[in-house]
Amino acid sequence: MQRFRRMRSLQKFASVHSSVYNHFNQERSLACRDTFKLTRTAALAEWRELGAA
């Protein structure tokens, strides 16, 4: 975390990173390939929809 010069920048990055990471973390090792691809596609579609707004 030495890259961040200000604590506010670190906090802003951490809050955005955690929400994005939680959205896309699908626990690949716990799901079969077809299920993983379906959930990943749904997450990407939702992310694109949010980004278009």
Side-chain angles (χ1 to χ4, degrees):
M1 296 299 162
Q2 295 175 349
R3 296 185 341 202
F4 298 98
R5 295 182 183 188
R6 296 187 183 129
M7 181 57 75
R8 184 164 174 83
S9 297
L10 173 60
Q11 290 172 338
K12 193 180 291 188
F13 171 79
S15 67
V16 171
H17 179 269
S18 65
S19 62
V20 171
Y21 178 78
N22 289 338
H23 187 73
F24 286 101
N25 184 19
Q26 301 290 331
E27 297 294 334
R28 173 65 180 106
S29 61
L30 301 178
C32 68
R33 185 171 193 264
D34 293 333
T35 304
F36 174 75
K37 288 181 81 170
L38 284 173
T39 56
R40 178 78 174 163
T41 302
L44 283 171
E46 184 177 344
W47 183 253
R48 287 182 180 134
E49 183 180 316
L50 290 171

